[in-house]
Amino acid sequence: MKFNRRFYDDHINLRQMSKRKLLITIFIGLTSAVVIYSFSYIIREVSRVISFSYDLYPNILNETDRNFYNLFFAGLSLILGNSIALSFIFNRPQKLMSRKSFKRKRIVNEQIFLGFNFAHWFAKLGFMFGAFAICCVEYPIWSDSRYIIAGILIIALYLESWKTLNKVLKRRKWKFMLIHAIVLCLLSLGLSRINLTNYKAIDQMALEANPVVDLPRSFYHTKVSRGRYPEVNFKVIKNNHDEILIKNEDGETIEMHEIPSEIARKSLWFREELLDYLEIRLSVDKTIKLNYVKQIEANLYASGYYKVGYVVYNENPYTRNYNQQGFRNFITNHVLQFRPGDASSYPPIPEPFPNNRSFKDSLNVHVGNKIVIDGLIVPQQMLIRKFKNYISKETVVNYIISEETTYQEYITALSAQFRAAHDLREKEQTVFDEFKSSEAYVEEQKELRIKYPINTIDTYKRNNL
C-alpha cells in the first residue's frame, strides 16, 4: 500500500478543475462536433451530386430522410466531440518523478481508440456503400431497419465512452450519465437543424435537368441495354401547370417538331454501321393522353424512324435507379391518322412502308378506363390469358383508341399482348443459351416469332365521329 501511494495515484477529483479549463473543454468538444458534422454533411451532399451523372433519376432526399441523416450525423459528431473533450481533460503531461495514474491513461486511451478507430471503420464502410450506391445497387434493407441500426450504433458508441469514466464518478455515475445524455440529445437535435448547403436549389436544378417520370406499369418488359446500341432518349412529362413538356437527354425542353433534328444531331456521335440499330426511347408520364404520344410516333414515322422503345416502371427496388426496363414496338403507317389537322411543322408524309402482310382475322380491343375485347369487358388480370387465344400469324390486334385514352391504359393492353406471345414462345422453346448467340438458339427464336408474332394496328376514334 505504501508503494502504491508513493508511485501511483488513481484518485481523480473533477471538482478541482478550474472554470477556465471547463469552458475551454466545452468549446473544444462543441467545435470538434461541428467540424465532424460539417465534414459528414458535405461528404454526403458531394456523393449525392456525383450520383446525378450515373442514376436514371436524381437522388433527391425527402425531408424525413434528410432529417434522419442529419440527426444521425449530429449524434455521432457530438459523441466523438465528447471523446475529444474528455481526452483534453484527462490527458496531461507527466513529470518524471510524479505519481502515475493508470485510470487517467485508460480513459484517454479509450477515447482515442473510440474516436480514431470508429472514424476509420465508419469511413471505410461508408465510402464502400456510398460508391456502390452511386452507380451499382440500391440498399432497400437500410430503409426498413435504419432506425434500429442507427439507434444501436449511437447507444453502443455512447456507452463505450463511459467504461472507465464510470469508476471516477462512482455512485453519482447514473445521475451524470442521465444529465449528460439529455444534453447530448438536445444538442444533437439543434445541430441536425443546420443545413450547410442550399439543398433545395440543388434538388431543383437536378430535377430540371433530369426530371422524374411517373412511368406506367407493365405486364411485360425486357432489360434495356444502356450503351450497347445507339439510343436517343426523350422524356414526356407534365409541369406544375399541367402542361406537357418534351425533354431531351441534355435536360432541355424541345418542341415536338424538333424531335427529328434532335435525333439527327445525336446520330452524328454514333458509329455509322450501328445506325440501323438506332432506337428512340420514350419515357412518358402514365397520365398523359395517348393521342399526344401517337403524334410523336407519327412525327417519327414521317421522318423515317420505325422503331420505338417504351420505358416502363421497374418494380425491382434494387435496380430501379440504374436499369431501364421497357419493350420495343414497331411504328406502322396507321399512326399517321394521329397527325393533327395543322401538321405544317411535320415532314411530308413518306411513301408507305412496304408491307405485304394480310390477315384473315382481327381482334378489336377498345382501350380506355375499361378494356373491351370483342364487346366484352376483360379485367386486367385476365388480359394475358385472353390474348393467348388470338396470338397467331393470321390475326392482327386492332387497338381502338379514343381521345380520352391514357398512356397507362394503352401500355396495360399492349404489354399484355407482348406477355402472351412471350409465354407461348417460351412454352415451346427447346434450345437454351445463356448468351443468346448460338446459331441453334437464334434459329429457333426466329421460328417461334413467326409462329407467335405480335401483330398490331391502331385506330383513332375521335369523339365527334
Side-chain angles (χ1 to χ4, degrees):
M1 294 298 294
K2 291 182 179 180
F3 182 83
N4 288 338
R5 287 196 299 269
R6 184 176 298 274
F7 294 100
Y8 299 99
D9 182 13
D10 271 348
H11 177 71
I12 299 176
N13 188 0
L14 295 177
R15 295 180 182 274
Q16 295 178 354
M17 185 170 57
S18 64
K19 292 182 179 180
R20 180 175 178 274
K21 187 172 183 178
L22 176 61
L23 292 176
I24 294 175
T25 301
I26 295 174
F27 175 79
I28 291 176
L30 292 177
T31 303
S32 301
V34 171
V35 170
I36 297 171
Y37 172 78
S38 302
F39 177 77
S40 304
Y41 186 98
I42 295 300
I43 288 295
R44 182 194 67 192
E45 290 300 298
V46 169
S47 301
R48 194 169 66 89
V49 172
I50 290 175
S51 71
F52 291 166
S53 301
Y54 295 92
D55 296 350
L56 293 175
Y57 302 108
N59 183 13
I60 305 298
L61 295 176
N62 58 46
E63 290 300 319
T64 301
D65 290 341
R66 179 171 293 276
N67 291 335
F68 166 76
Y69 291 126
N70 285 1
L71 184 60
F72 178 64
F73 288 146
L76 291 181
S77 301
L78 282 164
I79 291 175
L80 295 178
N82 178 69
S83 296
I84 294 173
L86 290 174
S87 299
F88 175 77
I89 293 176
F90 294 102
N91 188 17
R92 64 184 186 185
Q94 295 284 331
K95 295 181 182 180
L96 182 61
M97 300 302 295
S98 63
R99 291 184 292 180
K100 309 290 183 183
S101 175
F102 286 119
K103 192 176 292 184
R104 285 179 179 273
K105 287 187 175 182
R106 281 199 301 270
I107 293 175
V108 173
N109 289 337
E110 286 173 359
Q111 303 309 317
I112 294 175
F113 176 85
L114 175 70
F116 285 99
N117 285 273
F118 173 79
H120 177 67
W121 170 81
F122 188 74
K124 288 199 301 183
L125 198 65
F127 278 114
M128 182 191 71
F129 279 90
F132 276 98
I134 285 176
C135 63
C136 304
V137 67
E138 292 278 3
Y139 295 100
I141 186 174
W142 172 248
S143 300
D144 300 330
S145 57
R146 59 182 177 178
Y147 299 104
I148 298 175
I149 295 174
I152 292 175
L153 182 61
I154 289 179
I155 292 173
L157 195 63
Y158 179 73
L159 294 177
E160 183 70 19
S161 66
W162 282 85
K163 283 199 309 185
T164 305
L165 194 59
N166 284 334
K167 299 178 181 179
V168 176
L169 300 176
K170 297 180 180 180
R171 297 179 180 178
R172 294 171 293 177
K173 62 182 179 181
W174 299 115
K175 176 182 177 182
F176 278 102
M177 284 183 66
L178 179 61
I179 296 174
H180 188 260
I182 292 174
V183 172
L184 281 186
C185 288
L186 294 176
L187 290 175
S188 298
L189 288 173
L191 186 59
S192 67
R193 297 297 178 182
I194 300 176
N195 289 292
L196 302 175
T197 60
N198 187 357
Y199 67 91
K200 292 184 178 180
I202 296 175
D203 292 348
Q204 184 62 32
M205 291 173 58
L207 287 172
E208 289 177 359
N210 187 17
V212 176
V213 183
D214 189 7
L215 295 170
R217 269 63 174 176
S218 172
F219 288 112
Y220 175 80
H221 62 79
T222 59
K223 181 180 177 181
V224 179
S225 300
R226 301 177 65 187
R228 183 177 181 183
Y229 293 116
E231 62 185 61
V232 182
N233 288 272
F234 295 98
K235 290 186 176 183
V236 186
I237 60 173
K238 287 184 179 180
N239 61 11
N240 296 331
H241 303 290
D242 214 30
E243 299 171 338
I244 300 177
L245 304 177
I246 302 176
K247 295 277 189 177
N248 63 11
E249 292 180 345
D250 299 323
E252 301 169 341
T253 301
I254 62 174
E255 300 295 331
M256 187 184 297
H257 67 271
E258 296 177 318
I259 291 179
S261 60
E262 180 70 19
I263 298 173
R265 182 181 69 85
K266 294 288 293 185
S267 297
L268 296 175
W269 297 92
F270 303 140
R271 291 163 53 185
E272 186 176 353
E273 65 271 19
L274 294 178
L275 289 179
D276 290 339
Y277 300 96
L278 175 65
E279 179 182 328
I280 291 86
R281 205 169 290 167
L282 300 179
S283 299
V284 184
D285 188 300
K286 65 182 182 181
T287 61
I288 289 177
K289 301 300 181 184
L290 182 62
N291 178 40
Y292 189 87
V293 182
K294 288 298 177 179
Q295 287 184 32
I296 296 177
E297 292 184 10
N299 202 351
L300 292 173
Y301 184 88
S303 302
Y305 301 106
Y306 306 115
K307 186 164 57 177
V308 65
Y310 301 130
V311 180
V312 299
Y313 183 74
N314 186 351
E315 301 284 352
N316 188 345
Y318 291 92
T319 61
R320 182 178 301 152
N321 210 26
Y322 314 103
N323 292 332
Q324 276 189 344
Q325 289 184 346
F327 59 95
R328 301 174 181 87
N329 194 25
F330 286 94
I331 308 174
T332 65
N333 59 345
H334 297 88
V335 79
L336 294 176
Q337 64 189 297
F338 292 91
R339 286 163 57 105
D342 179 19
S344 57
S345 60
Y346 280 56
I349 298 178
E351 293 293 329
F353 189 79
N355 187 0
N356 298 322
R357 298 161 61 192
S358 60
F359 304 99
K360 297 180 180 179
D361 195 10
S362 64
L363 178 68
N364 293 324
V365 179
H366 294 262
V367 183
N369 187 28
K370 296 179 180 179
I371 297 178
V372 180
I373 300 179
D374 275 352
L376 297 176
I377 298 176
V378 180
Q380 290 190 14
Q381 59 270 23
M382 299 290 294
L383 282 174
I384 298 175
R385 185 184 303 176
K386 184 74 173 178
F387 275 117
K388 285 182 179 180
N389 299 326
Y390 296 92
I391 299 292
S392 70
K393 56 185 177 182
E394 290 85 14
T395 303
V396 63
V397 178
N398 178 27
Y399 289 100
I400 302 174
I401 300 162
S402 70
E403 294 180 1
E404 300 303 318
T405 302
T406 64
Y407 183 63
Q408 172 65 79
E409 293 165 350
Y410 179 70
I411 292 296
T412 298
L414 185 64
S415 65
Q417 181 187 359
F418 272 72
R419 170 54 64 182
H422 174 78
D423 290 349
L424 291 173
R425 296 170 186 172
E426 194 176 56
K427 187 177 181 180
E428 297 188 12
Q429 181 180 353
T430 59
V431 180
F432 298 91
D433 180 10
E434 180 182 358
F435 300 101
K436 302 180 180 180
S437 59
S438 66
E439 184 177 349
Y441 176 85
V442 173
E443 187 63 28
E444 185 186 57
Q445 289 298 311
K446 182 179 179 181
E447 294 176 358
L448 290 174
R449 284 194 296 270
I450 293 174
K451 185 176 182 180
Y452 300 111
I454 300 174
N455 301 320
T456 64
I457 58 174
D458 297 325
T459 300
Y460 186 28
K461 183 180 180 182
R462 291 177 171 83
N463 292 339
N464 57 353
L465 294 182

